[in-house]
Amino acid sequence: MSAEERKSFEAKAQVRFSAGLAEVAAAEDELRHAHAAKDAAAAERAARRLRDGLNDVSSGAAALRAFAEGKPGPQIARDWFRQQMNLPPDAVHPPSSGLFGLDWIHLAAMAALATVSLLLMVAYGVRTRRAAALADRLVRASATAGATPATAKVESVPTPAAAPVTVPTVPTTRPEAAKLWKGQLRVAAIFTETPNVRTYRFREIGGGPIPFSFCPGQFMTLSADIGGKLIRRSYTIASSAAQTSYVETTIKREDAGVFSEHMHRDVSEGDILDVMAPSGAFTFTGAESDSVVLIGGGVGITPLMAAVRYLCDIAWPGEIFLVYGARTTEDFIFRDELEHLQRRHAKLHVVASMVRATGTSWMGPEGPITKALLADTVPDIASRRVHLCGPPGMMAAIRAILSDLGVPAASIKTEAFGPARGAVPPPGQTLVVELADKALADQPVRPAEPIAAIGPATATIRFAVSNKTAPLAPDQTVLEAAESIGVPIDYACRVGTCGTCKTKLVEGKVTMEIDEALSPEEKSDNIILACQAKSIGNLVVQA
Ligand SMILES: Cc1cc2nc3c(=O)[nH]c(=O)nc-3n(C[C@H](O)[C@H](O)[C@H](O)COP(=O)(O)OP(=O)(O)OC[C@H]3O[C@@H](n4cnc5c(N)ncnc54)[C@H](O)[C@@H]3O)c2cc1C
Ligand code: FES
């Protein structure tokens, strides 16, 4: 600063000091008057004026002092600023020993911060890539789930008047959903549902996620060596398809039922079972329609429960009506869970009817499921998709009721649970085979396992690959005939839904009560379901 500039600043500081002093004096006077007049507002104004005056005095004095001490301009400004900000006076810092004039502590802190930022950026990158891969997987999975399998015969359902709802993706249906997985699972837990129904929770042996995907309503096939014979039975996966750490089947103990008795009697927690899964087209994922009516009886509730659990898990926005019939309140499977789910999900409507409820505290409907009950429970039932599963008699009765109520046959999906034909004869029943063709009497007929038939044979069946021939009764399936002479044909459900027993018909004509597992192309290519195919004429099959 030149001497001239210094003089000019000194003069300005002097002026500021004097003006501040005059302001303080005037403000003090004003403050006294305000106090005397008890005028608070004026006192406030005077106090503000006093503060401004003091500030001018203080800054003017600071500048004069600095000039008197001969400090440089920047130092004067810094001192004034520090004073205003209540900061301690300038300390003299030793020259920095680190890089770029920064000390080492400073540099270390910056390096640590930079490392943390870098790690966070890497983590973000990895997370984004994993999220993108997951989203991709789900898109492919929902495409798989949304596609109607060729064999499923899922008829189109009339579009209801209500506005369409957005259907979430099926999270558990991974791309490999369509593949049949064969392996072993461990029974992790067993729960008693009713006096003769138990739930078996299966886990992957190593404890990881279940190694296959499935849709709600599909089933798995369990097999076991019972009395020296390999027996297989199919059981619906009743747990939610959104649950990937376990699958559950709920099994009713049938009187004299070979497999169900084995499960109830011999199988304990920790046991390992042979499993094939998933199979079946009796599925409902929420993509098929915007509401669903589930009607079931007895243990036929299992595929319906699989849908209820899954739809509740994904907070499906459609209306779900479950109409269930049980013999007694004791036999009402999943009662507690359904009551709980109904409390939580406004769109779930459960109505149960007990065939016999006398002597109990049951307040709901009694007797079999009637037309009036269905009409009262499900508004506009004719426009909704219906899934039906239960004992054969009940299914036939409900079908007739649904038809009366105007539900088109195409809107009704059903599943029958068996019994598995020909698996085991009822107690006391023995194989009766009469050969119509005397020439066939010389053929070796070696029953591999007892079969549950059979009237007199009226035809023959030749297995082209095995080069064996057997008599064939009108009521006997190709599978039963094959088993009777030890021709191996693989099977699972024995009710025409899984397709495991597909075989080619080389000659002859067959009828099949259920052919759900066959696509139109397979039918035109003479592929048959051995567990369903029957004939009154001679047959040749490729097995
Ligand atoms: C797709 C599908 C899903 C299924 N889901 C379930 C489920 O979730 N829960 C469930 O409990 N069951 C389910 N089942 C039924 C199950 O597969 C078995 O059929 C059932 O457990 C009976 O098998 P079992 O070996 O105990 O009885 P079986 O030994 O096969 O006998 C069944 C009953 O029928 C009688 N019987 C057997 N053969 C004959 C015959 N030739 N003539 C007359 N009577 C006979 C027996 O005395 C017995 O009472 C399902 C079936 C299918 C096809
Ligand atoms: S065994 Fe399943 S369709 Fe024949």
Side-chain angles (χ1 to χ4, degrees):
M1 195 184 287
S2 67
E4 200 140 318
E5 279 172 333
R6 190 182 171 94
K7 220 170 169 182
S8 151
F9 277 120
E10 236 173 328
K12 278 184 189 162
Q14 187 61 57
V15 168
R16 173 174 288 227
F17 183 82
S18 310
L21 210 56
E23 189 73 357
V24 167
E28 193 187 359
D29 197 37
E30 196 178 313
L31 195 58
R32 278 212 189 86
H33 280 94
H35 180 59
K38 295 196 170 55
D39 183 346
E44 219 179 305
R45 270 195 309 277
R48 217 166 20 242
R49 206 173 156 192
L50 191 59
R51 247 190 330 268
D52 291 346
L54 275 173
N55 272 345
D56 285 350
V57 169
S58 147
S59 66
L64 287 172
R65 187 176 143 219
F67 283 125
E69 287 172 0
K71 282 187 187 171
Q75 174 78 46
I76 297 170
R78 248 193 344 263
D79 287 351
W80 179 82
F81 179 74
R82 285 184 168 277
Q83 189 193 1
Q84 292 300 307
M85 301 306 289
N86 284 331
L87 294 172
D90 258 358
V92 181
H93 295 292
S96 166
S97 53
L99 279 175
F100 312 117
L102 299 170
D103 64 46
W104 288 114
I105 296 180
H106 197 155
L107 282 172
M110 281 174 67
L113 278 174
T115 312
V116 170
S117 311
L118 200 70
L119 286 175
L120 284 174
M121 277 163 64
V122 171
Y124 179 76
V126 170
R127 223 178 117 222
T128 311
R129 282 187 58 181
R130 286 182 61 187
L134 180 65
D136 190 44
R137 236 174 68 187
L138 290 177
V139 169
R140 277 187 284 129
S142 63
T144 313
T148 303
T151 56
K153 256 199 179 169
V154 182
E155 301 89 346
S156 60
V157 179
T159 316
V165 290
T166 314
V167 179
T169 52
V170 183
T172 52
T173 310
R174 296 184 281 268
E176 65 274 25
K179 284 188 204 149
L180 186 70
W181 175 86
K182 292 182 187 181
Q184 293 189 314
L185 294 177
R186 186 170 51 85
V187 179
I190 301 176
F191 309 106
T192 299
E193 304 286 358
T194 72
N196 60 2
V197 175
R198 283 188 193 162
T199 291
Y200 296 79
R201 176 171 294 179
F202 292 88
R203 293 215 58 197
E204 208 269 324
I205 294 178
I210 286 299
F212 56 86
S213 310
F214 61 98
C215 288
Q218 287 195 294
F219 61 86
M220 55 192 213
T221 301
L222 306 179
S223 45
D225 185 326
I226 305 172
K229 283 195 198 105
L230 179 72
I231 308 284
R232 285 187 194 146
R233 293 290 184 274
S234 304
Y235 293 98
T236 308
I237 304 170
S239 50
S240 167
Q243 171 60 260
T244 52
S245 1
Y246 61 81
V247 284
E248 285 178 352
T249 58
T250 296
I251 300 181
K252 180 182 170 207
R253 180 182 196 138
E254 299 286 355
D255 290 340
V258 174
F259 204 91
S260 58
E261 282 203 341
H262 165 72
M263 289 299 291
H264 279 245
R265 185 189 55 226
D266 307 325
V267 173
S268 323
E269 290 177 2
D271 286 357
I272 309 269
L273 264 76
D274 290 318
V275 176
M276 282 195 291
S279 311
F282 186 58
T283 57
F284 188 80
T285 63
E288 299 84 348
S289 62
D290 63 1
S291 75
V292 69
V293 184
L294 309 167
I295 306 174
V299 79
I301 193 173
T302 51
L304 314 180
M305 195 62 186
V308 167
R309 283 170 167 158
Y310 173 71
L311 296 174
C312 288
D313 276 351
I314 62 163
W316 188 60
E319 302 276 349
I320 310 161
F321 299 90
L322 173 66
V323 186
Y324 177 58
R327 277 188 309 147
T328 67
T329 48
E330 244 196 353
D331 301 309
F332 186 165
I333 309 169
F334 307 131
R335 181 178 176 177
D336 292 347
E337 188 180 344
L338 281 169
E339 283 171 0
H340 169 75
L341 287 175
Q342 206 184 358
R343 279 196 301 275
R344 296 183 72 133
H345 299 274
K347 296 287 175 77
L348 173 64
H349 315 280
V350 181
V351 170
S353 186
M354 300 301 118
V355 174
R356 278 195 324 264
T358 13
T360 71
S361 57
W362 178 248
M363 308 281 282
E366 286 184 38
I369 297 170
T370 59
K371 183 176 170 185
L373 181 70
L374 278 179
D376 289 350
T377 310
V378 189
D380 197 17
I381 191 170
S383 70
R384 300 182 195 270
R385 182 188 178 93
V386 180
H387 281 224
L388 174 59
C389 184
M394 177 226 175
M395 301 235 307
I398 300 285
R399 266 184 179 283
I401 291 174
L402 290 172
S403 163
D404 275 3
L405 288 169
V407 183
S411 302
I412 306 171
K413 285 266 293 165
T414 59
E415 178 147 279
F417 273 7
R421 259 197 66 92
V424 168
Q429 186 162 342
T430 48
L431 172 68
V432 181
V433 179
E434 279 184 23
L435 302 182
D437 185 343
K438 198 72 191 87
L440 280 169
D442 301 329
Q443 297 278 350
V445 178
R446 296 183 287 108
E449 66 176 57
I451 54 174
I454 296 172
T458 54
T460 64
I461 177 166
R462 186 163 68 80
F463 297 96
V465 177
S466 315
N467 199 21
K468 288 182 178 173
T469 305
L472 185 66
D475 196 31
Q476 192 178 18
T477 65
V478 168
L479 180 60
E480 289 163 356
E483 286 172 338
S484 73
I485 54 166
V487 171
I489 296 182
D490 212 3
Y491 69 88
C493 69
R494 299 185 83 108
V495 291
T497 53
C498 73
T500 313
C501 63
K502 282 176 195 169
T503 317
K504 187 160 174 117
L505 181 66
V506 182
E507 269 177 49
K509 273 189 181 163
V510 298
T511 55
M512 287 181 279
E513 203 175 319
I514 299 169
D515 59 4
E516 277 177 22
L518 293 177
S519 67
E521 295 76 43
E522 285 172 324
K523 283 180 199 167
S524 57
D525 199 22
N526 281 341
I527 303 294
I528 57 168
L529 297 175
C531 71
Q532 296 296 303
K534 296 178 190 170
S535 182
I536 48 167
N538 294 340
L539 298 178
V540 179
V541 298
Q542 206 163 26

